[in-house]
């Protein structure tokens, strides 16, 4: 697919994949490929600059890989984490962001519980804002790394066209910002995306995003070139389901929109037996964190179809590409 020069991007922020064109997506994807195949040390294009991780929700992969990416580019990282911030004293998200900008950092990487928070912050500051996950809305760098990993597995690195590929996104789709970014990006690059889950987790309304919706996994499995499993986001389902351990015993609260976690696993879990019915060459993906034994069996997570740790490695490259494009000029 054609590449757009990065300067033609409508904004110097990265807030979501919805609304991005194929050339805009490909610019980041080609830059990621170049970083992956680069035989020499990557130029430290951000030497002397600082990047702030402004994380109001927990993270392992996203925060860690932005930190590694920034360090490889020569930037220092300031970690500002929700539980330790002066938000607890009544400071607003916007005031927090403006104060961090005033310290002279070159970009804000923002994760927050509220959908739209990164966009709101981007309107208040003059430095690039990268959305690292805003509520159930978007997680664009996760979408980019998932697309790259899928394209790599299916030999599509030349032009990143995903035409002819069917991707099943399975589980708690409604709670998932990863799903929304992937539906947008994968659809734009030509994939067929099928969201699979019980009606409360994969509502028909998702068809308005350009994907299909199914409420049974077994008929979809043999047709999918990639199966992306999603964990149940217990923390977004209300107080009664806030303890995955208790819910894992099969006694999930009503707010989970499923009868029980046991039933969810029986109908939608990617067990070893189900993985055996996947197409030859089909791959298993998961953005993490995994709840082993619920949406995904350990044998599948660690098995030959799994791209889960490759997704994490690609995440560093994608975030380097994004930082270079938005901050390094
Ligand atoms: N995939 C993802 O966003 O993981 P973290 O919550 O650990 O960052």
């Amino acid at each position: 697919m054609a590449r757009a020069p990065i300067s033609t991007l409508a904004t110097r922020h990265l807030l979501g994949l919805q609304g991005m064109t194929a050339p805009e997506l490909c610019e980041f994807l080609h830059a990621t490929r170049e970083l992956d195949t680069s035989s020499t040390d990557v130029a430290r294009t951000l030497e002397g600059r600082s990047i702030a991780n402004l994380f109001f929700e927990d993270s392992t992969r996203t925060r860690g890989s932005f930190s590694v990416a920034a360090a490889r580019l020569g930037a220092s990282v300031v970690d500002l984490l929700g539980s330790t911030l002066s938000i607890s004293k009544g400071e607003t998200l916007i005031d927090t962001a403006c104060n961090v900008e005033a310290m002279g950092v070159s970009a804000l990487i923002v994760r927050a519980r509220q959908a739209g928070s990164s966009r709101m912050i981007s309107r208040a500051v003059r430095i690039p804002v990268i959305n690292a996950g805003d509520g159930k809305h978007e997680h664009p760098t996760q979408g980019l790394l998932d697309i790259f990993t899928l394209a790599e597995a299916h030999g599509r690195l030349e032009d990143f066209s995903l035409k002819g590929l069917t991707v099943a996104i399975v589980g708690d789709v409604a709670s998932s910002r990863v799903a929304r970014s992937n539906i947008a990006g994968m659809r734009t690059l030509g994939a067929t995306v099928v969201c699979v889950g019980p009606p409360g987790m994969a509502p028909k309304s998702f068809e308005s995003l350009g994907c299909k919706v199914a409420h049974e996994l077994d008929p979809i499995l043999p047709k999918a070139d990639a199966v992306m499993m999603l964990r149940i986001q217990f923390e977004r389902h209300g107080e009664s389901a806030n303890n995955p351990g208790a819910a894992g015993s099969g006694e999930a609260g009503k707010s989970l929109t499923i009868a029980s976690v046991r039933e969810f696993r029986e109908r939608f879990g990617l067990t070893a037996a189900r993985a055996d019915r996947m197409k030859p060459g089909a791959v298993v993906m998961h953005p993490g964190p995994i709840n082993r034994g619920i949406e995904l069996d350990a044998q599948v997570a660690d098995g030959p179809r799994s791209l889960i740790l490759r997704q994490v490695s690609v995440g560093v490259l994608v975030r380097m590409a994004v930082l270079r494009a938005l901050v390094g000029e």
Side-chain angles (χ1 to χ4, degrees):
M1 263 183 213
R3 302 173 63 172
I6 210 81
S7 56
T8 68
L9 286 172
T11 172
R12 58 202 175 86
H13 307 293
L14 178 59
L15 304 175
L17 301 191
Q18 294 173 53
M20 281 180 71
T21 64
E24 286 169 345
L25 291 167
C26 285
E27 183 62 34
F28 290 119
L29 297 167
H30 281 292
T32 301
R33 189 188 67 196
E34 281 158 23
L35 286 164
D36 195 29
T37 54
S38 175
S39 54
T40 53
D41 280 349
V42 176
R44 291 169 68 85
T45 42
L46 301 189
E47 191 80 58
R49 316 277 286 272
S50 299
I51 307 295
N53 279 331
L54 195 51
F55 274 57
F56 300 96
E57 281 188 340
D58 294 343
S59 169
T60 297
R61 282 147 290 271
T62 310
R63 185 163 67 89
S65 60
F66 265 116
S67 299
V68 171
R72 285 199 190 157
L73 295 171
S76 61
V77 178
V78 184
D79 264 328
L80 296 153
L81 307 181
S83 57
T84 64
L85 291 173
S86 293
I87 291 262
S88 62
K89 303 173 196 165
E91 191 168 38
T92 66
L93 215 57
I94 295 280
D95 279 338
T96 303
C98 290
N99 276 263
V100 178
E101 179 188 32
M103 295 170 198
V105 303
S106 297
L108 295 175
I109 320 295
V110 180
R111 169 168 290 192
R113 188 171 296 279
Q114 302 84 2
S117 47
S118 293
R119 185 171 300 281
M120 190 176 72
I121 289 171
S122 75
R123 289 177 178 145
V125 299
R126 290 176 295 277
I127 53 176
V129 174
I130 299 169
N131 180 6
D134 60 331
K136 300 177 182 179
H137 179 226
E138 280 242 29
H139 192 348
T141 55
Q142 181 72 43
L144 288 170
L145 76 88
D146 290 338
I147 290 168
F148 186 96
T149 309
L150 173 69
E152 181 180 58
H154 286 284
R156 307 295 182 95
L157 287 186
E158 197 55 44
D159 62 1
F160 293 99
S161 168
L162 303 181
K163 285 196 180 102
L165 296 182
T166 296
V167 180
I169 302 181
V170 184
D172 190 2
V173 181
S175 300
S176 175
R177 53 199 176 204
V178 174
R180 285 173 179 81
S181 290
N182 270 314
I183 292 165
M186 289 179 180
R187 288 276 304 121
T188 298
L189 296 174
T192 298
V193 179
V194 188
C195 294
V196 187
M201 292 185 178
K204 281 283 177 196
S205 58
F206 264 67
E207 288 175 349
S208 66
L209 301 178
C211 58
K212 300 179 181 179
V213 170
H215 300 312
E216 295 296 335
L217 176 57
D218 289 319
I220 304 295
L221 264 187
K223 301 176 193 162
D225 298 288
V227 178
M228 179 179 293
M229 299 306 300
L230 301 175
R231 76 181 171 95
I232 302 173
Q233 297 201 29
F234 295 99
E235 72 276 22
R236 298 194 203 279
H237 285 255
E239 295 298 321
S240 63
N242 226 5
N243 181 349
S249 68
E251 302 305 320
K254 284 180 191 156
S255 58
L256 272 177
T257 75
I258 51 171
S260 71
V261 170
R262 188 176 300 122
E263 186 198 337
F264 173 85
R265 176 182 152 73
E266 277 169 18
R267 288 182 56 202
F268 299 102
L270 191 54
T271 59
R274 280 206 173 98
D276 284 344
R277 298 201 292 276
M278 289 172 62
K279 264 171 130 166
V283 295
V284 174
M285 302 175 74
H286 195 308
I290 298 170
N291 285 173
R292 288 172 183 254
I294 301 182
E295 76 274 10
L296 191 58
D297 274 8
Q299 291 153 275
V300 183
D302 304 328
R305 292 184 187 276
S306 174
L307 300 180
I308 293 169
L309 292 180
R310 179 60 184 159
Q311 288 172 264
V312 177
S313 300
V314 169
V316 174
L317 302 171
V318 160
R319 284 156 184 143
M320 288 173 74
V322 167
L323 286 173
R324 271 217 312 211
L326 302 186
V327 186
E329 293 182 337

